[in-house]
Amino acid sequence: MESETENGESIPAVESESPVEEVDDGSTDEDAYLTAEERAETAAQTRRKEELLLIAQYLADSGNLDSTGLEALEPTESAKGTVYVILWSEPWEEDETVTVRGRLVYDRESDNGECDIFVYYEDYIASDGSEAKSTTILEFYAVNQQSGEVIPGDKHSWSDVGSAEYREATGE
């Protein structure tokens, strides 16, 4: 495609290259503008999103989550940057104007720094978006950052101690 100048001369179009080029590790040259701390946080957020999917697969493999549609799950971030994924959503049996959903949320790094901790919630959302019933904690999970092993906590409240395996893995 050609362009014209004010006096009607034709100027051949020049194909421009994208200002952002992919490099071998999947990062872009925009990453060069990030500080080391920002790059580390970006990598951690990517790992946490992958870990959410590991937990979803763990739940499906253990029969606690329908495996249909697992590949369509899309971890995202809240406005505050907290990584989460909605695992399932359905009308509540007691009130069909209320939606019940399973939400898996990154909580924090474990005390020993070896695991990421996630909380699996059951939310009750009214049609207007408000909370229809108090959120319930279904389980805590630790994911080993190196191996990807998922360790259920056997914790169903913030004050529960958790299983021996969970405590050993997390140092808590």
Side-chain angles (χ1 to χ4, degrees):
M1 181 172 187
E2 294 186 353
S3 301
E4 289 188 11
T5 63
E6 281 183 29
N7 62 7
E9 294 176 24
S10 293
I11 301 172
V14 176
E15 288 189 34
S16 65
E17 292 184 26
S18 171
V20 177
E21 295 180 25
E22 289 270 336
V23 292
D24 291 340
D25 66 358
S27 64
T28 63
D29 62 356
E30 286 179 342
D31 294 336
Y33 299 104
L34 298 176
T35 65
E37 185 177 305
E38 290 169 327
R39 279 194 299 276
E41 183 57 28
T42 298
Q45 288 294 76
T46 299
R47 183 189 71 240
R48 291 171 190 142
K49 288 177 181 180
E50 291 167 357
E51 290 170 344
L52 285 168
L53 298 176
L54 289 173
I55 297 170
Q57 187 63 57
Y58 173 87
L59 289 166
D61 291 347
S62 62
N64 294 312
L65 180 67
D66 184 358
S67 62
T68 307
L70 277 182
E71 66 280 346
L73 290 177
E74 293 187 36
T76 190
E77 295 178 31
S78 70
K80 292 183 178 183
T82 303
V83 177
Y84 74 96
V85 68
I86 303 301
L87 296 175
W88 53 269
S89 182
E90 63 191 23
W92 188 23
E93 292 174 1
E94 294 181 27
D95 181 350
E96 294 206 6
T97 65
V98 173
T99 299
V100 183
R101 68 181 187 184
R103 179 173 48 102
L104 189 57
V105 181
Y106 170 75
D107 182 50
R108 62 187 166 75
E109 189 173 72
S110 64
D111 285 353
N112 63 10
E114 294 179 12
C115 296
D116 286 322
I117 308 293
F118 297 85
V119 185
Y120 185 19
Y121 294 101
E122 185 173 69
D123 300 318
Y124 297 81
I125 310 298
S127 58
D128 66 0
S130 65
E131 186 177 307
K133 180 182 171 191
S134 293
T135 295
T136 304
I137 295 174
L138 299 175
E139 184 63 273
F140 281 74
Y141 292 94
V143 178
N144 183 288
Q145 295 172 359
Q146 298 302 312
S147 69
E149 178 186 9
V150 176
I151 303 125
D154 196 22
K155 285 179 55 124
H156 309 286
S157 74
W158 292 103
S159 61
D160 285 351
V161 176
S163 67
E165 181 184 16
Y166 178 86
R167 292 191 318 269
E168 183 179 325
T170 62
E172 299 178 4

